[in-house]
Amino acid sequence: MPHGDRGRRVHLDTAGLGRMPAAARAQLTEWTRHEDRHGPYEVDEHVHHVVRPELDARLAALLGAPAGDTVLATGAADAFAALVPRLALGPGDRIWTTPYEGVANLTVLTALRDRARCRLEVVPLRPDGDLDLEWMAAHIDDDVALVSVAHVPAGCGIVTPVEDIGRILAPHRCLYAVDASYAVGQLPVDAGRIGCQLLTGDGWRFLRGPESVGFACLAPELRQALAPCGTGLLAPPEGASVVALNAALAVAEDAGPAGGLAAVVRTAVQETPGAELIAPGRVQCGIVTFRHAEMPAGLLRRALAARGVVVGKTVAQQTPLYSPGRKATAAVRVSVHHDNSAWDAARFAEALREALAGRGRHAVPTAVRAAAPAPAAVAGGAVAAPAAGLRAVCAGSVAGAGGVPAAGVPRPRRTAGRRHLALVSAPAPDGTA
């Protein structure tokens, strides 16, 4: 490695919080100070008259949507939670989600199911971990009112074929929601090509804006469905954060692709004794998730940080319907960005070897290709037969009398320090947790 670079910190946690560009950081600092000295009104006027026209144009170009279709929010999960519960669903409707759905959105969908007395069904996975598009094509009808899909989930690097799903859903009356929080900024995201009516995203991950600012893209069909309520329920982000996001997007317009760095990181993990790569599906992105047989994820993350390599950690509860192996509850998450270099990937591989020196004596599989998937649920708590080679682990259905969830449905519970409900998956048929 280049002389003198050993002390430089390597940031490989863009999926958690991207490194803000210098220009965006300077704008955030300047306008935060301005608001502190002069009050919020001048900042709001600057945002309204100067920043928003630029930001709306940049978001429209980024998302392949008309500028008037985008609204700002404090984050993707907040936008989803403010808009989706207002949909007028009823007992005859069905909601589809996937095993890769994040806990925040899944909590909203569960609450909507209970309120509307409709069905919540989970699209099954193929043996390789991809969504079963053939199942979707065979089971879609006009009873399906809402389909919610994560373009890239929080816990692994699989890329969902959102455009293929859009083509399946297009002839039908359902609304299609896509969470692009972990995709936008690292993958092409085009709402028009996807064919979704709601697309949400965070500004602080691969877009590298400040925290607590995100967006939602609403198609005319969704605006019409929300007409009685409107979009005024969205909490607006702070003015300085909006200015900084606009500056970050200006930098992103000139950014090139991340290249093959994720493949280098993935190879380093696969060549590490005792490491288990969590990589379901056939298409992967710049997120690489893994765990080690002899070192817990939290301890390994801290060991890498002590060697100047910043990575993230993901826990099973972030995607409670998907838990590969149904044993480990946490994994290390490495995420690369276009501003990372080949040296960063090489430094990660070296730091991983150093952190695991003397460990990894027990062989484990080098990849988790697919988790036991969640099959589609049907009314009354009965579960449809899963695809060949797949095992049912959980299902959603109509709540029983008195609002009590049917057997096998993830039950919401409050967890300390969290702003949303967490969902607990049903136990596996063999009784394992």
Side-chain angles (χ1 to χ4, degrees), residues 38-429:
H38 304 287
Y41 299 108
E42 289 191 19
V43 178
D44 290 343
E45 288 183 355
H46 176 69
V47 168
H48 179 73
H49 294 292
V50 179
V51 176
R52 279 306 300 269
E54 293 181 356
L55 180 55
D56 289 346
R58 284 175 174 144
L59 281 175
L62 180 71
L63 303 175
D69 285 1
T70 58
V71 295
L72 294 183
T74 50
D78 292 340
F80 191 89
L83 299 174
V84 170
R86 270 59 187 181
L87 296 175
L89 272 61
D93 291 322
R94 298 154 65 197
I95 302 171
W96 281 1
T97 187
T98 80
Y100 299 115
E101 188 73 271
V103 64
N105 288 6
L106 193 55
T107 299
V108 172
L109 296 176
T110 303
L112 177 59
R113 174 202 64 186
D114 294 343
R115 176 185 61 77
R117 314 293 290 180
C118 59
R119 289 182 290 173
L120 177 59
E121 302 174 351
V122 181
V123 176
L125 300 180
R126 291 159 37 97
D128 59 10
D130 281 334
L131 291 179
D132 192 338
L133 301 189
E134 293 182 359
W135 183 95
M136 297 183 75
H139 290 80
I140 183 66
D141 58 38
D142 284 340
D143 289 341
V144 179
L146 174 65
V147 176
S148 179
V149 171
H151 194 169
V152 174
C156 59
I158 184 174
V159 179
T160 303
V162 289
E163 293 183 12
D164 293 340
I165 293 173
R167 284 189 283 271
I168 293 173
L169 303 180
H172 301 274
R173 63 108 175 179
C174 65
L175 295 173
Y176 180 24
V178 173
D179 180 1
S181 298
Y182 293 89
V184 65
Q186 69 152 329
L187 298 173
V189 175
D190 190 315
R193 291 177 60 88
I194 293 172
C196 59
Q197 286 72 51
L198 174 62
L199 188 143
T200 55
D202 295 323
W204 61 86
R205 303 187 196 279
F206 290 91
L207 293 179
R208 300 197 299 164
E211 291 185 88
S212 299
V213 58
F215 55 86
C217 181
L218 288 74
E221 303 96 309
L222 181 59
R223 289 181 183 273
Q224 182 178 1
L226 295 172
C229 305
T231 60
L233 298 167
L234 290 173
E238 295 181 1
S241 297
V242 177
V243 179
L245 177 60
N246 185 48
L249 291 187
V251 175
E253 290 175 349
D254 299 326
L261 295 183
V264 175
V265 170
R266 197 171 292 112
T267 298
V269 171
Q270 290 175 311
E271 293 177 349
T272 300
E276 179 184 20
L277 186 67
I278 302 173
R282 291 168 290 180
V283 180
Q284 299 291 309
C285 64
I287 297 175
V288 181
T289 307
F290 70 97
R291 56 198 179 203
H292 194 269
E294 298 183 10
M295 182 178 283
L299 183 60
L300 181 52
R301 184 193 65 79
R302 292 192 294 272
L304 291 171
R307 290 163 175 81
V309 178
V310 178
V311 299
K313 185 181 79 170
T314 180
V315 296
Q317 201 172 45
Q318 288 181 285
T319 49
L321 299 184
Y322 176 78
S323 180
R326 298 183 59 78
K327 295 179 181 179
T329 59
V332 176
R333 184 180 65 194
V334 183
S335 48
V336 300
H337 193 263
H338 67 81
D339 67 338
N340 289 119
S341 65
W343 184 88
D344 294 340
R347 180 68 192 114
F348 162 77
E350 181 183 35
L352 184 63
R353 289 193 298 270
E354 293 172 355
L356 295 173
R359 296 177 182 264
R361 294 184 297 274
H362 303 294
V364 298
T366 58
V368 175
R369 300 308 304 173
V378 295
V383 178
L390 305 185
R391 175 168 63 87
V393 296
C394 50
S397 64
V398 177
V404 179
V409 179
R411 298 175 180 271
R413 68 180 183 187
R414 291 287 180 185
T415 54
R418 291 186 179 271
R419 295 169 54 199
H420 52 69
L421 295 175
L423 295 171
V424 182
S425 299

